[in-house]
Amino acid sequence: MIYVLNGPNLSRLGTREPDVYGAETFDDLRALCEATGRELGLKVEVRQTDDEAELVGWVHEAADGKIPVVLNPAAFTHYSYALRDALAQRTAPLIEVHISNPAAREEFRHTSVVAAVATGTIAGFGLQSYVLALRAMADLIK
């Protein structure tokens, strides 16, 4: 089992800044992650929330269950110390993922409070960032 956790506004994929995030929807993202999981022989559970407390709760759940996590923290990337502290308690690999490349965007997006506690980060490849993350995770947990 791998959790694919997504933070705020990702439910708006397809309508939110399509020039940055693409035309695919969150349902497309879910289907892509689930299909990639099947291809890799892994069960993938995709979740999205706009609520920081709910996301932290899912991270605690993953830590308690030793469940690997692919995480797009979205805006929480840049300032959520609560999320960062929850992730520091991880008991399985964590891959931070981004659809766009935060380093090539506005300066406030250049800082990730999550990166220091992640196994690695994949960014800038559109929804393929998730495919790359799931493939990397499959290798990590073998």
Side-chain angles (χ1 to χ4, degrees):
M1 166 71 75
I2 297 174
Y3 284 176
V4 178
L5 304 180
N6 294 277
N9 297 310
L10 286 161
S11 63
R12 307 286 298 158
L13 285 176
T15 58
R16 178 185 177 218
E17 298 181 81
D19 55 316
V20 175
Y21 299 105
E24 295 94 353
T25 66
F26 185 75
D27 287 339
D28 295 332
L29 171 61
R30 179 187 310 278
L32 178 64
C33 290
E34 290 171 350
T36 302
R38 282 191 301 276
E39 172 190 319
L40 297 169
L42 300 168
K43 181 169 175 29
V44 173
E45 186 170 322
V46 181
R47 301 178 184 179
Q48 188 280 328
T49 184
D50 294 329
D51 184 273
E52 185 178 29
E54 185 171 34
L55 186 57
V56 167
W58 292 342
V59 169
H60 291 165
E61 181 183 313
D64 291 346
K66 296 181 172 53
I67 299 167
V69 173
V70 171
L71 171 68
N72 185 339
F76 295 145
T77 303
H78 317 296
Y79 67 87
S80 178
Y81 298 110
L83 179 60
R84 181 254 177 245
D85 289 350
L87 293 166
Q89 300 172 52
R90 68 185 176 86
T91 56
L94 164 68
I95 298 176
E96 178 185 7
V97 66
H98 297 281
I99 296 169
S100 68
N101 179 357
R105 298 186 60 201
E106 303 94 337
E107 187 160 337
F108 75 89
R109 297 184 194 276
H110 296 181
T111 299
S112 170
V113 299
V114 170
V117 295
T119 306
T121 301
I122 298 172
F125 297 98
L127 296 191
Q128 287 300 305
S129 293
Y130 288 83
V131 173
L132 295 168
L134 287 166
R135 290 179 192 269
M137 187 66 79
D139 288 341
L140 288 171
I141 63 175
K142 282 185 179 177

